Structure formats: C-alpha cells, structure tokens
Amino acid sequence: MKKLPKLKMSWDILLSVYTMLTIISTALLLVALFFNDLPNINSLIGENKISAIDNYIRILVVLMAVGNVMYIIVLFKLKKLIDLFMNNHFFTNGSINLLKQIGSYLSYSTLLIYMPSYLYNTFISFGNTSGVFAQSLSKTAFLFFILLGVFFLILSYIFEEAKTIKEENDLTV
C-alpha cells in the first residue's frame, strides 16, 4: 500500500498527458476531415495515406473518435478506482461497479476503434486503398484490449463474490 500514492501520482500525470493529446489529435482530425483537408489528415495519420475522403471514411473517423473518448472515460474510471483502493474500499459496490464499467467501456471502445477500420478495408475498399488506418491497428493489440476488458469484467465478479463472503464472515464473528 506504500507504493499506491506513487502509482496514483504517475497515473494522474499519464492521464493528463494522454487526455490532452487525444483531444487535440481527435479535434484536428475531425476538423481536417470535414473540411476535406487531405494533407493535414495524412500528416495526422502518418504513413497510411488517404487519396480521397468519402462518407465511409467520415463515419470511420467519427466512430474512432467516440472510441477514443471512451478510452479517456476508462482512464478516469481507473483513477477513481485507485482513489477507492487508497481509502481501503476494496469490496464495495462502488469498486465493483467501476470494475464492470471499465471492462465494458474498454471492450466497446476497442470494438469502435478497430472494427470499423477492419470492415472498411475488407468490404468497402476491397483492399484497393493504401491501408487507411488498418496498418497501424494490429490484431494483437485488438485482442489484447478485448481480453483486458474481459479481465476487468471477471475481476468485478470476483470482487462481488469476495464482498458476499466478507459480509457473511462479518455476520458470523
């Protein structure tokens, strides 16, 4: 428990930096996308160049932006969970609900970010694009974040069972 304050401070710094970068990059990408500013979009994306903007790409970027916002929500919920743990509130309804929300949001945001890109490159562009977003999104990262979301959901059920056992134990003593 002595290392928890250091972890909290590190998490707060990481949360601030990631939130600022995500908001700025998502806002710039959305503005460039809706004003058909291809050079700025290509510079934001990196090596994956887009030759033309169609409505499918607009939908893809909006879904990815929603997924990024959900990632930020996950980070804030993790911060709240760390605060609960620092106050020794391990097996409470609040921590159990936060674990469930973190698992759900993490899974949904991963699907919102990875699946539209995969579907676009597979079914809409039929591989004729130069890899819009998909090259930077690996299957390993997709699987990792889905499994991480499932892990948090399983952890919430374990905490729920531990809370029940703790309540029964408190009644017997």
Side-chain angles (χ1 to χ4, degrees):
M1 293 299 288
K2 293 179 183 178
K3 293 184 181 181
L4 211 49
K6 291 180 184 177
L7 174 68
K8 184 183 180 317
M9 186 179 72
S10 307
W11 190 259
D12 290 343
I13 292 170
L14 177 70
L15 180 64
S16 301
V17 170
Y18 180 78
T19 302
M20 286 188 323
L21 289 175
T22 302
I23 289 172
I24 291 170
S25 65
T26 303
L28 288 174
L29 186 61
L30 287 172
V31 168
L33 180 75
F34 288 103
F35 288 109
N36 291 327
D37 191 3
L38 280 175
N40 284 334
I41 291 174
N42 286 328
S43 67
L44 286 170
I45 292 172
E47 64 188 50
N48 304 325
K49 302 298 182 194
I50 299 175
S51 57
I53 298 174
D54 57 4
N55 287 334
Y56 296 115
I57 291 178
R58 285 188 175 93
I59 292 169
L60 173 75
V61 170
V62 168
L63 289 174
M64 291 175 82
V66 170
N68 282 332
V69 168
M70 290 178 80
Y71 270 137
I72 292 172
I73 291 171
V74 165
L75 293 176
F76 277 101
K77 290 195 178 290
L78 278 169
K79 180 184 182 302
K80 196 172 182 180
L81 185 67
I82 291 172
D83 290 340
L84 282 175
F85 287 169
M86 286 185 68
N87 295 326
N88 292 327
H89 297 284
F90 296 104
F91 305 114
T92 62
N93 287 333
S95 63
I96 293 168
N97 288 336
L98 280 173
L99 286 168
K100 284 181 185 176
Q101 291 172 1
I102 290 167
S104 299
Y105 285 11
L106 192 58
S107 298
Y108 293 141
S109 62
T110 302
L111 288 173
L112 279 174
I113 289 174
Y114 289 89
M115 290 308 291
S117 174
Y118 174 76
L119 293 174
Y120 178 83
N121 286 311
T122 304
F123 298 112
I124 296 170
S125 70
F126 301 108
N128 294 332
T129 183
S130 60
V132 178
F133 303 108
Q135 292 173 353
S136 62
L137 305 175
S138 71
K139 294 174 185 145
T140 306
F142 171 75
L143 185 62
F144 173 76
F145 284 112
I146 290 291
L147 290 176
L148 190 61
V150 170
F151 170 76
F152 275 104
L153 289 172
I154 291 170
L155 197 60
S156 73
Y157 294 118
I158 292 171
F159 270 52
E160 199 167 10
E161 282 297 314
K163 178 184 170 239
T164 304
I165 292 170
K166 181 181 179 287
E167 288 172 351
E168 289 174 5
N169 190 24
D170 288 344
L171 291 175
T172 58
V173 172

PDB file of all heavy atoms in Angstrom, residues 2-14 82 85-86:
ATOM      1  N   LYS A   2       2.140   1.136   0.353  1.00  0.00           N
ATOM      2  CA  LYS A   2       3.002   2.311   0.389  1.00  0.00           C
ATOM      3  C   LYS A   2       3.291   2.838  -1.009  1.00  0.00           C
ATOM      4  O   LYS A   2       3.569   4.017  -1.189  1.00  0.00           O
ATOM      5  CB  LYS A   2       4.314   1.985   1.099  1.00  0.00           C
ATOM      6  CG  LYS A   2       4.145   1.704   2.566  1.00  0.00           C
ATOM      7  CD  LYS A   2       5.458   1.366   3.211  1.00  0.00           C
ATOM      8  CE  LYS A   2       5.250   1.021   4.677  1.00  0.00           C
ATOM      9  NZ  LYS A   2       6.493   0.646   5.334  1.00  0.00           N
ATOM     10  N   LYS A   3       3.243   1.979  -2.009  1.00  0.00           N
ATOM     11  CA  LYS A   3       3.553   2.390  -3.376  1.00  0.00           C
ATOM     12  C   LYS A   3       2.339   2.967  -4.090  1.00  0.00           C
ATOM     13  O   LYS A   3       2.464   3.516  -5.176  1.00  0.00           O
ATOM     14  CB  LYS A   3       4.095   1.206  -4.164  1.00  0.00           C
ATOM     15  CG  LYS A   3       5.429   0.732  -3.670  1.00  0.00           C
ATOM     16  CD  LYS A   3       5.961  -0.376  -4.526  1.00  0.00           C
ATOM     17  CE  LYS A   3       7.303  -0.842  -3.994  1.00  0.00           C
ATOM     18  NZ  LYS A   3       7.879  -1.893  -4.806  1.00  0.00           N
ATOM     19  N   LEU A   4       1.164   2.853  -3.506  1.00  0.00           N
ATOM     20  CA  LEU A   4      -0.054   3.323  -4.144  1.00  0.00           C
ATOM     21  C   LEU A   4      -0.072   4.833  -4.386  1.00  0.00           C
ATOM     22  O   LEU A   4      -0.502   5.269  -5.454  1.00  0.00           O
ATOM     23  CB  LEU A   4      -1.274   2.876  -3.332  1.00  0.00           C
ATOM     24  CG  LEU A   4      -2.550   2.601  -4.084  1.00  0.00           C
ATOM     25  CD1 LEU A   4      -2.308   1.705  -5.287  1.00  0.00           C
ATOM     26  CD2 LEU A   4      -3.573   1.978  -3.185  1.00  0.00           C
ATOM     27  N   PRO A   5       0.406   5.664  -3.445  1.00  0.00           N
ATOM     28  CA  PRO A   5       0.443   7.113  -3.747  1.00  0.00           C
ATOM     29  C   PRO A   5       1.340   7.451  -4.943  1.00  0.00           C
ATOM     30  O   PRO A   5       1.010   8.326  -5.740  1.00  0.00           O
ATOM     31  CB  PRO A   5       0.978   7.741  -2.457  1.00  0.00           C
ATOM     32  CG  PRO A   5       0.602   6.784  -1.385  1.00  0.00           C
ATOM     33  CD  PRO A   5       0.703   5.424  -2.024  1.00  0.00           C
ATOM     34  N   LYS A   6       2.473   6.753  -5.085  1.00  0.00           N
ATOM     35  CA  LYS A   6       3.345   6.984  -6.245  1.00  0.00           C
ATOM     36  C   LYS A   6       2.651   6.556  -7.528  1.00  0.00           C
ATOM     37  O   LYS A   6       2.756   7.235  -8.554  1.00  0.00           O
ATOM     38  CB  LYS A   6       4.658   6.232  -6.078  1.00  0.00           C
ATOM     39  CG  LYS A   6       5.539   6.773  -4.998  1.00  0.00           C
ATOM     40  CD  LYS A   6       6.819   5.975  -4.879  1.00  0.00           C
ATOM     41  CE  LYS A   6       7.656   6.466  -3.725  1.00  0.00           C
ATOM     42  NZ  LYS A   6       8.873   5.666  -3.544  1.00  0.00           N
ATOM     43  N   LEU A   7       1.935   5.441  -7.468  1.00  0.00           N
ATOM     44  CA  LEU A   7       1.178   4.976  -8.628  1.00  0.00           C
ATOM     45  C   LEU A   7       0.092   5.974  -8.995  1.00  0.00           C
ATOM     46  O   LEU A   7      -0.110   6.275 -10.164  1.00  0.00           O
ATOM     47  CB  LEU A   7       0.562   3.605  -8.340  1.00  0.00           C
ATOM     48  CG  LEU A   7      -0.366   3.033  -9.394  1.00  0.00           C
ATOM     49  CD1 LEU A   7       0.421   2.693 -10.654  1.00  0.00           C
ATOM     50  CD2 LEU A   7      -1.083   1.809  -8.882  1.00  0.00           C
ATOM     51  N   LYS A   8      -0.578   6.518  -7.999  1.00  0.00           N
ATOM     52  CA  LYS A   8      -1.631   7.495  -8.243  1.00  0.00           C
ATOM     53  C   LYS A   8      -1.063   8.748  -8.901  1.00  0.00           C
ATOM     54  O   LYS A   8      -1.642   9.276  -9.841  1.00  0.00           O
ATOM     55  CB  LYS A   8      -2.339   7.855  -6.942  1.00  0.00           C
ATOM     56  CG  LYS A   8      -3.508   8.805  -7.136  1.00  0.00           C
ATOM     57  CD  LYS A   8      -4.124   9.186  -5.822  1.00  0.00           C
ATOM     58  CE  LYS A   8      -5.286  10.116  -5.963  1.00  0.00           C
ATOM     59  NZ  LYS A   8      -5.160  11.196  -6.881  1.00  0.00           N
ATOM     60  N   MET A   9       0.088   9.229  -8.413  1.00  0.00           N
ATOM     61  CA  MET A   9       0.702  10.420  -8.994  1.00  0.00           C
ATOM     62  C   MET A   9       1.120  10.154 -10.443  1.00  0.00           C
ATOM     63  O   MET A   9       0.878  10.970 -11.327  1.00  0.00           O
ATOM     64  CB  MET A   9       1.913  10.860  -8.174  1.00  0.00           C
ATOM     65  CG  MET A   9       2.504  12.167  -8.655  1.00  0.00           C
ATOM     66  SD  MET A   9       3.905  12.719  -7.683  1.00  0.00           S
ATOM     67  CE  MET A   9       5.147  11.541  -8.183  1.00  0.00           C
ATOM     68  N   SER A  10       1.701   8.993 -10.699  1.00  0.00           N
ATOM     69  CA  SER A  10       2.087   8.628 -12.068  1.00  0.00           C
ATOM     70  C   SER A  10       0.858   8.549 -12.958  1.00  0.00           C
ATOM     71  O   SER A  10       0.878   8.987 -14.104  1.00  0.00           O
ATOM     72  CB  SER A  10       2.799   7.283 -12.089  1.00  0.00           C
ATOM     73  OG  SER A  10       3.852   7.263 -11.204  1.00  0.00           O
ATOM     74  N   TRP A  11      -0.198   7.970 -12.430  1.00  0.00           N
ATOM     75  CA  TRP A  11      -1.422   7.815 -13.200  1.00  0.00           C
ATOM     76  C   TRP A  11      -2.025   9.172 -13.530  1.00  0.00           C
ATOM     77  O   TRP A  11      -2.521   9.390 -14.640  1.00  0.00           O
ATOM     78  CB  TRP A  11      -2.424   6.964 -12.420  1.00  0.00           C
ATOM     79  CG  TRP A  11      -3.576   6.591 -13.257  1.00  0.00           C
ATOM     80  CD1 TRP A  11      -4.815   7.158 -13.262  1.00  0.00           C
ATOM     81  CD2 TRP A  11      -3.607   5.582 -14.257  1.00  0.00           C
ATOM     82  NE1 TRP A  11      -5.601   6.564 -14.201  1.00  0.00           N
ATOM     83  CE2 TRP A  11      -4.881   5.586 -14.830  1.00  0.00           C
ATOM     84  CE3 TRP A  11      -2.666   4.672 -14.719  1.00  0.00           C
ATOM     85  CZ2 TRP A  11      -5.247   4.723 -15.832  1.00  0.00           C
ATOM     86  CZ3 TRP A  11      -3.042   3.810 -15.726  1.00  0.00           C
ATOM     87  CH2 TRP A  11      -4.317   3.840 -16.262  1.00  0.00           C
ATOM     88  N   ASP A  12      -2.009  10.104 -12.574  1.00  0.00           N
ATOM     89  CA  ASP A  12      -2.555  11.439 -12.825  1.00  0.00           C
ATOM     90  C   ASP A  12      -1.792  12.151 -13.934  1.00  0.00           C
ATOM     91  O   ASP A  12      -2.389  12.803 -14.793  1.00  0.00           O
ATOM     92  CB  ASP A  12      -2.516  12.276 -11.542  1.00  0.00           C
ATOM     93  CG  ASP A  12      -3.516  11.798 -10.502  1.00  0.00           C
ATOM     94  OD1 ASP A  12      -4.444  11.056 -10.872  1.00  0.00           O
ATOM     95  OD2 ASP A  12      -3.354  12.160  -9.323  1.00  0.00           O
ATOM     96  N   ILE A  13      -0.474  12.026 -13.932  1.00  0.00           N
ATOM     97  CA  ILE A  13       0.343  12.652 -14.980  1.00  0.00           C
ATOM     98  C   ILE A  13       0.040  12.013 -16.328  1.00  0.00           C
ATOM     99  O   ILE A  13      -0.184  12.709 -17.327  1.00  0.00           O
ATOM    100  CB  ILE A  13       1.838  12.552 -14.629  1.00  0.00           C
ATOM    101  CG1 ILE A  13       2.153  13.409 -13.417  1.00  0.00           C
ATOM    102  CG2 ILE A  13       2.707  12.959 -15.821  1.00  0.00           C
ATOM    103  CD1 ILE A  13       3.531  13.198 -12.838  1.00  0.00           C
ATOM    104  N   LEU A  14       0.022  10.691 -16.373  1.00  0.00           N
ATOM    105  CA  LEU A  14      -0.279   9.979 -17.613  1.00  0.00           C
ATOM    106  C   LEU A  14      -1.667  10.321 -18.126  1.00  0.00           C
ATOM    107  O   LEU A  14      -1.853  10.560 -19.320  1.00  0.00           O
ATOM    108  CB  LEU A  14      -0.161   8.466 -17.383  1.00  0.00           C
ATOM    109  CG  LEU A  14      -0.515   7.575 -18.560  1.00  0.00           C
ATOM    110  CD1 LEU A  14       0.539   7.705 -19.653  1.00  0.00           C
ATOM    111  CD2 LEU A  14      -0.637   6.134 -18.116  1.00  0.00           C
ATOM    112  N   ILE A  82      -8.508   3.725  -8.268  1.00  0.00           N
ATOM    113  CA  ILE A  82      -7.289   3.845  -7.463  1.00  0.00           C
ATOM    114  C   ILE A  82      -7.571   4.657  -6.207  1.00  0.00           C
ATOM    115  O   ILE A  82      -7.096   4.320  -5.116  1.00  0.00           O
ATOM    116  CB  ILE A  82      -6.148   4.468  -8.295  1.00  0.00           C
ATOM    117  CG1 ILE A  82      -5.691   3.485  -9.367  1.00  0.00           C
ATOM    118  CG2 ILE A  82      -4.974   4.854  -7.409  1.00  0.00           C
ATOM    119  CD1 ILE A  82      -4.722   4.068 -10.358  1.00  0.00           C
ATOM    120  N   PHE A  85      -9.280   2.413  -3.767  1.00  0.00           N
ATOM    121  CA  PHE A  85      -8.333   1.457  -3.190  1.00  0.00           C
ATOM    122  C   PHE A  85      -7.409   2.133  -2.170  1.00  0.00           C
ATOM    123  O   PHE A  85      -7.026   1.520  -1.183  1.00  0.00           O
ATOM    124  CB  PHE A  85      -7.519   0.773  -4.275  1.00  0.00           C
ATOM    125  CG  PHE A  85      -8.287  -0.247  -5.069  1.00  0.00           C
ATOM    126  CD1 PHE A  85      -7.754  -0.785  -6.220  1.00  0.00           C
ATOM    127  CD2 PHE A  85      -9.550  -0.673  -4.681  1.00  0.00           C
ATOM    128  CE1 PHE A  85      -8.443  -1.737  -6.960  1.00  0.00           C
ATOM    129  CE2 PHE A  85     -10.254  -1.617  -5.414  1.00  0.00           C
ATOM    130  CZ  PHE A  85      -9.700  -2.149  -6.551  1.00  0.00           C
ATOM    131  N   MET A  86      -7.036   3.385  -2.428  1.00  0.00           N
ATOM    132  CA  MET A  86      -6.197   4.105  -1.472  1.00  0.00           C
ATOM    133  C   MET A  86      -6.921   4.335  -0.155  1.00  0.00           C
ATOM    134  O   MET A  86      -6.293   4.434   0.898  1.00  0.00           O
ATOM    135  CB  MET A  86      -5.733   5.437  -2.063  1.00  0.00           C
ATOM    136  CG  MET A  86      -4.652   5.270  -3.108  1.00  0.00           C
ATOM    137  SD  MET A  86      -4.023   6.835  -3.690  1.00  0.00           S
ATOM    138  CE  MET A  86      -3.193   7.444  -2.238  1.00  0.00           C
TER     139      MET A  86
END
